[in-house]
Amino acid sequence: MILFVRISKLSIALLASGALCLNAAEAPKRVDIKQLSKKVDDVVVPLPNEVFGALNKLGGVNWHEYVRNDKGSNFTERPRIALLLGAVIADGFIAVQAEDAPTVKEIGQRVLNLAKGIGVGNSITPHAKAITEAADKRNWVGVRQELDRTQNSVQQAMNEVHDEKLSQLVSLGGWLRGTEVLTAVVNKRYSEEGSELLHQPDLLVYFENKLQAMPEFNLKLLNDIHTALIEVKPLIDVGDAHISAASVKKINDITTRLGDAIIKKTP
Amino acid sequence: MTTFLKLAWRVSLVTALAFAFAPEGRASVDDAQSFALQAAEPYVKEGFQVREDYWGGDLAAGEKKAVRQQLFKGNEYWFWLGTEVEAAKVSVHIYDSEGKLVEQPDSWQKGHFAAAHIMPKSTGSYFIIVEIEQSPEERTHWALVYGFR
């Protein structure tokens, strides 16, 4: 009974907060960001579909062109599996943009297999099933939600066993694949609005710092990604200026090369 | 089942479990998250996709915390803050990288819930500043979730 009373109280509070569009409390119009710097958490890594959504609003994207059917190699190194897992989840968001149900279902299975390879398969099984069911119903909102849940569950499972670095590599793999597609789209039909979506300098710094803190993995691919991020940074950290078409092309070349290296076994 | 119903079910379940099994005084950031999700619930019907991930911790009354967030021009974002301490008063506000308040005027604050709304004028880093303005507790759990469309 007490439980129901409490839930009812919560519902009333929710309704009150949702129904009333209250004015924002008086907040300082300006704050000193430098003063806050010691209290700032790491930058939050966006989901690939956040940038795809913004890109889509600019119009004219044929998402079918960017759907990738290459399932990638089977790796044994956990950092490589983590990077590939992030990239494959990003591929899932691209397939959703293209409303390509068969590819979405294949990706759901691929994600499950990769998660098993890294020891977190149990947390993914229900999501893989839900992705398939939602794709069958062409419930794209549902698939997007399940892909988000999948990535979150994988990363939570990794964090629980203190594999935070692998969790960061999942984010990095997704970000690289997202950036590869973003630059491919903008490169094809350049616009200043499109290239502005690449203005993500804090994310680059975040990934650079995280990669620097992973010397134990000692993988050439991670070194290559780190070098590439340093190369990309001046191209996107342009302040109020526009990111040029030449820069977009260069970033696309770099991220495409890295994307290929993530999915293929190098000799 | 629609995404909204699924979210509503999840929120109800999380809330019910939190209150059924957590003894008084042993609340956690997960409880705060269930309240942040409650604040988000009405917006799912309006097409906002709420991220699964959330950010949280505990703060003393009067203490602030900032979360740096990459936002994309063209998207619309809501950030929802909640705490399980019903007598607490919390706030959340959005500043750009220069420290200028940039949230929409329909951002709101209601006791232990608060929300901030932004349609970014440019792509880049923003600072989401959360504050426990008042609380009877020494430390108050908070959780921040966000959604976009």
Side-chain angles (χ1 to χ4, degrees), chain A residues 66-68 70 86-96 103 107 177:
Chain A
Y66 305 101
V67 170
R68 184 162 65 179
D70 188 338
V88 172
I89 292 171
D91 279 330
F93 283 115
I94 296 162
V96 172
T103 303
I107 284 171
R177 177 64 180 145

Side-chain angles (χ1 to χ4, degrees), chain A residues 7-54:
Chain A
I7 291 174
S8 300
K9 277 170 68 184
L10 296 175
S11 303
I12 291 164
L14 167 67
L15 285 172
S17 61
L20 297 174
C21 274
L22 301 174
N23 289 332
E26 201 57 45
K29 301 290 179 212
R30 276 199 171 272
V31 293
D32 186 347
I33 293 298
K34 282 180 190 161
Q35 271 194 344
L36 274 172
S37 61
K38 285 180 186 167
K39 295 182 174 182
V40 177
D41 271 0
D42 271 339
V43 64
V44 173
V45 181
L47 284 176
N49 68 322
E50 286 185 51
V51 70
F52 296 158

Side-chain angles (χ1 to χ4, degrees), chain A:
Chain A
M1 183 62 184
I2 290 168
L3 176 66
F4 281 113
V5 170
R6 278 183 169 161
I7 291 174
S8 300
K9 277 170 68 184
L10 296 175
S11 303
I12 291 164
L14 167 67
L15 285 172
S17 61
L20 297 174
C21 274
L22 301 174
N23 289 332
E26 201 57 45
K29 301 290 179 212
R30 276 199 171 272
V31 293
D32 186 347
I33 293 298
K34 282 180 190 161
Q35 271 194 344
L36 274 172
S37 61
K38 285 180 186 167
K39 295 182 174 182
V40 177
D41 271 0
D42 271 339
V43 64
V44 173
V45 181
L47 284 176
N49 68 322
E50 286 185 51
V51 70
F52 296 158
L55 192 56
N56 215 32
K57 287 170 193 138
L58 297 176
V61 182
N62 178 9
W63 290 100
H64 290 281
E65 283 180 46
Y66 305 101
V67 170
R68 184 162 65 179
N69 291 309
D70 188 338
K71 290 181 180 146
S73 306
N74 291 318
F75 297 106
T76 50
E77 306 101 319
R78 301 179 83 224
R80 294 215 60 170
I81 298 173
L83 276 171
L84 182 56
L85 187 50
V88 172
I89 292 171
D91 279 330
F93 283 115
I94 296 162
V96 172
Q97 290 293 138
E99 301 192 350
D100 180 341
T103 303
V104 166
K105 286 157 70 174
E106 279 174 23
I107 284 171
Q109 284 310 303
R110 180 72 177 140
V111 166
L112 179 58
N113 291 336
L114 289 168
K116 282 178 181 167
I118 216 164
V120 294
N122 287 346
S123 59
I124 300 308
T125 306
H127 298 307
K129 190 166 173 278
I131 286 170
T132 300
E133 286 172 1
D136 276 335
K137 291 175 188 160
R138 301 181 67 78
N139 170 11
W140 305 118
V141 172
V143 177
R144 281 192 188 97
Q145 196 74 43
E146 283 305 330
L147 286 167
D148 183 10
R149 284 179 187 154
T150 300
Q151 178 159 332
N152 190 51
S153 295
V154 163
Q155 293 186 296
Q156 270 192 359
M158 288 171 171
N159 292 341
E160 278 165 17
V161 291
H162 303 293
D163 271 340
E164 287 89 353
K165 291 179 181 178
L166 290 181
S167 169
Q168 289 152 9
L169 289 176
V170 172
S171 296
L172 176 58
W175 182 80
L176 282 169
R177 177 64 180 145
T179 305
E180 181 187 343
V181 171
L182 167 62
T183 49
V185 172
V186 178
N187 188 43
K188 192 161 191 178
R189 202 173 66 178
Y190 178 81
S191 69
E192 287 173 355
E193 292 81 9
S195 71
E196 192 193 327
L197 297 173
L198 281 165
H199 189 248
Q200 307 172 28
D202 285 341
L203 277 175
L204 277 185
V205 172
Y206 168 82
F207 284 128
E208 262 184 68
N209 291 341
K210 296 299 175 193
L211 282 171
Q212 263 179 343
M214 300 179 186
E216 68 273 31
F217 289 150
N218 194 27
L219 279 176
K220 181 180 177 296
L221 177 57
L222 295 186
N223 290 333
D224 290 347
I225 294 173
H226 187 245
T227 306
L229 293 181
I230 293 168
E231 202 181 342
V232 166
K233 190 159 180 276
L235 303 175
I236 65 165
D237 197 359
V238 293
D240 291 334
H242 295 295
I243 297 170
S244 69
S247 294
V248 172
K249 168 132 189 12
K250 193 167 180 188
I251 299 165
N252 182 247
D253 290 344
I254 293 168
T255 50
T256 302
R257 175 168 44 83
L258 293 176
D260 288 344
I262 285 172
I263 63 168
K264 287 175 188 151
K265 274 187 179 158
T266 44

Side-chain angles (χ1 to χ4, degrees), chain A residues 6 14 25 28 50 196 202, chain B residues 24 35 38 95 109 123 125 146:
Chain A
R6 278 183 169 161
L14 167 67
E50 286 185 51
E196 192 193 327
D202 285 341
Chain B
E24 292 284 352
F35 285 90
Q38 278 196 13
Y95 293 85
Q109 180 180 20
T123 294
S125 282
Y146 81 96

